[in-house]
Amino acid sequence: MLQRLDQTAADLAQASDEDAQGALERVRAAQSLSWETRFTDLLQDLPEPERDEAVRALRSLVEHVRQHAPGSGASAGTGGFAVSGDVTMKATNGSVVAGVINGGVRVDPPKPGPVQD
């Protein structure tokens, strides 16, 4: 099992070096299916009490990875804006605030109003 994990890590590392997303996404999909099959087979072969314990342990592991693995938070594509947590943005005094601006921004000074006495 550890050799398979090492091979999976090596395959993913090689794919991430090959090109931006194409090879990496293909390897991820193939490895995901392969590991899903392995875990399904393993769980089906266990007696029920052991299966329940293994399921609890796997769920705990998945939650831990989701919370602590690099890149496990929010993500966005090119030109996107993603946050894992809270964001507060505030524009004041005619300024501009944005998570993403696609195009130019122009802030004109306010036009004078009617003359006041």
Side-chain angles (χ1 to χ4, degrees), residues 41-79:
D41 291 346
L42 171 73
L43 291 171
Q44 288 176 343
D45 291 343
L46 290 174
E48 189 171 342
E50 291 176 34
R51 182 181 325 126
D52 292 344
E53 179 61 29
V55 167
R56 281 191 295 276
L58 286 170
R59 285 183 176 150
S60 176
L61 176 62
V62 167
E63 184 59 31
H64 177 81
V65 169
R66 283 185 177 148
Q67 291 179 3
H68 297 96
S72 63
S75 66
T78 303

Side-chain angles (χ1 to χ4, degrees), residues 112-117:
V115 177
Q116 297 181 2
D117 295 315

Side-chain angles (χ1 to χ4, degrees), residues 5-26:
L5 282 172
D6 289 341
Q7 186 61 51
T8 297
D11 291 348
L12 290 167
Q14 180 180 356
S16 66
D17 290 341
E18 287 178 12
D19 69 354
Q21 290 297 319
L24 182 57
E25 291 307 316
R26 286 189 298 276

Side-chain angles (χ1 to χ4, degrees), residues 27-108:
V27 170
R28 278 184 181 160
Q31 289 294 339
S32 177
L33 181 59
S34 177
W35 282 99
E36 180 181 343
T37 301
R38 286 182 184 121
F39 279 114
T40 299
D41 291 346
L42 171 73
L43 291 171
Q44 288 176 343
D45 291 343
L46 290 174
E48 189 171 342
E50 291 176 34
R51 182 181 325 126
D52 292 344
E53 179 61 29
V55 167
R56 281 191 295 276
L58 286 170
R59 285 183 176 150
S60 176
L61 176 62
V62 167
E63 184 59 31
H64 177 81
V65 169
R66 283 185 177 148
Q67 291 179 3
H68 297 96
S72 63
S75 66
T78 303
F81 180 78
V83 176
S84 182
D86 296 335
V87 172
T88 302
M89 298 190 293
K90 184 177 179 181
T92 59
N93 300 323
S95 62
V96 174
V97 65
V100 174
I101 296 176
N102 295 310
V105 173
R106 183 175 165 190
V107 180
D108 293 326

